[in-house]
Amino acid sequence: MTEAILLVGGKGTRLRPLTVHTPKPMVPAAGVPFLTHQLARARAAGVEHIVLATSYLAEVFEPYFGDGSALGLHIEYVTEEEPLGTGGAIRNVAARLHSGPDDPVLIFNGDILTGLDIRALVNTHESTGADVSLHLTKVTDPRAYGLVPTDETGRVLAFLEKPQTPEEIVTDQINAGAYVFRRSLIDTIPAGRPVSVERETFPGLLAAGAHLQGMVDSTYWLDLGTPAAFVRGSADLVLGRAPSPAVPGRRGDRLVLPTATVAPDAKLTGGTVVGEGAFVAEGARIFGSTILAGAVIEPGAVITDSLIGARARVGERSVLTGTVIGDGAVVGADNELREGVRVWCDAHIPSGAVRFSSDQ
């Protein structure tokens, strides 16, 4: 098994303003673009050739990763003229694959952080003779996901849309976003139009009698589609809870990139990342947060479970919890921002303008 497709064309609308200037897979997690972690894990599992299916801000990927040789990979890029959905994107890159008709092709969604045993998924695919194999994971509350029940051998029985009632929750297994396709099946996906692999391709294959195999792997799995999840995923990578060979430093409470400056008495914990050229001033306290390149955290600021965009500034004594500050934005001194607040790129909040408590 030597090649894979990575689906990285989504607009990342749930992550805005992080994705205003940056495609979701290129937003830094644990010090490097998130996509770097996926590419490194694929390479560690034996993948040599990867095709990136790009669309939104497609011009960003190749200047950063080039031909992939720095990661020991051969990377090619295919850009969709119009968004084609997951299935359409897979079909759109088929001509770049080198595999034979019965060879396995790995497919990953570009926004999933997982500890999946990639080799085990491929071994399951080959040992069962499946046409398509899916990574499944178990979740406590499956209502927000499509359910994938299987029989005692792991063979997929159905694809069920998000359940609305307790009676519809027939399993806690969900589609975890990584697949192995028999190469020849990719050519059966309709070309030149949007296709959802989850809603059209998989149910269609099942109805036609194809063998779809599920493999449950519940080691670590996180959909990075929301700002809170993205911040958590980055922290988990730094803390060593999520595996990746691409973290640029030792696992621990903090990751400070070489060109960043952190005051000696600033406290960084919980998997906090301070990006290149960023500055954290004296008395600042930062927990479980990501400070991107060139950002400035002024004296006494307290930041928890938040993401501070590139070149943004957080003023003295401001308290941020569960917030996202866009690139170039300025939060003046003595503000309080709580869960769910998103400050857009280049916005400016004056000192003391937003509070949840008295200013005395």
Side-chain angles (χ1 to χ4, degrees), residues 36-327:
T36 309
H37 299 290
Q38 289 186 305
L39 293 171
R41 292 200 73 243
R43 182 66 191 94
V47 175
E48 297 172 357
H49 177 223
I50 291 185
V51 184
L52 296 188
T54 67
S55 180
Y56 176 65
L57 296 177
E59 67 278 5
V60 173
F61 294 94
E62 190 166 3
Y64 188 90
F65 292 107
D67 64 1
S69 56
L71 291 169
L73 290 164
H74 171 49
I75 298 177
E76 294 188 67
Y77 305 83
V78 177
T79 301
E80 301 164 23
E81 301 287 335
E82 298 289 336
L84 295 172
T86 47
I90 294 167
R91 179 66 178 86
N92 192 51
V93 307
R96 301 294 186 93
L97 299 173
H98 309 316
S99 300
D102 291 326
D103 289 342
V105 177
L106 263 167
I107 298 170
F108 299 105
N109 279 326
D111 53 3
I112 301 296
L113 177 59
T114 176
L116 167 68
D117 185 337
I118 297 171
R119 289 181 184 272
L121 182 62
V122 176
N123 290 340
T124 294
H125 177 79
E126 295 184 326
S127 65
T128 59
D131 296 303
V132 179
S133 298
L134 297 86
H135 170 209
L136 307 179
T137 192
K138 294 179 180 289
V139 293
T140 304
D141 184 359
R143 289 176 297 176
Y145 304 96
L147 308 184
V148 186
T150 55
D151 68 13
E152 63 278 2
T153 69
R155 189 159 182 157
V156 174
L157 299 174
F159 291 90
L160 307 175
E161 283 304 305
K162 298 173 184 177
Q164 303 300 312
T165 66
E167 292 75 23
E168 292 177 309
I169 302 176
V170 298
T171 181
D172 57 357
Q173 296 175 176
I174 67 165
N175 177 357
Y179 321 115
V180 181
F181 270 67
R182 187 188 301 273
R183 168 66 185 89
S184 58
L185 280 189
I186 293 176
D187 292 331
T188 69
I189 300 173
R193 69 167 176 86
V195 179
S196 166
V197 74
E198 300 87 356
R199 293 182 177 85
E200 182 177 345
T201 304
F202 291 156
L205 286 170
L206 203 58
H211 179 178
L212 276 67
Q213 186 74 19
M215 188 193 82
V216 176
D217 182 320
S218 296
T219 46
Y220 180 100
W221 185 85
L222 186 63
D223 176 352
L224 300 186
T226 65
F230 199 96
V231 170
R232 179 180 147 206
S234 177
D236 284 348
L237 283 162
V238 174
L239 291 166
R241 295 171 180 164
S244 170
V247 176
R250 291 190 304 171
R251 307 302 190 275
D253 247 7
R254 53 190 262 173
L255 173 64
V256 179
L257 271 64
T259 57
T261 302
V262 177
D265 67 341
K267 188 173 182 180
L268 311 178
T269 56
T272 288
V273 181
V274 183
E276 296 178 357
F279 176 76
V280 178
E282 61 271 13
R285 288 179 288 151
I286 307 175
F287 177 85
S289 299
T290 295
I291 314 300
L292 293 185
V296 174
I297 311 302
E298 295 187 357
V302 180
I303 300 172
T304 304
D305 298 336
S306 298
L307 193 147
I308 312 303
R311 305 174 309 284
R313 178 179 291 265
V314 176
E316 295 183 57
R317 298 174 301 280
S318 280
V319 178
L320 279 59
T321 303
T323 62
V324 175
I325 309 302
D327 296 343

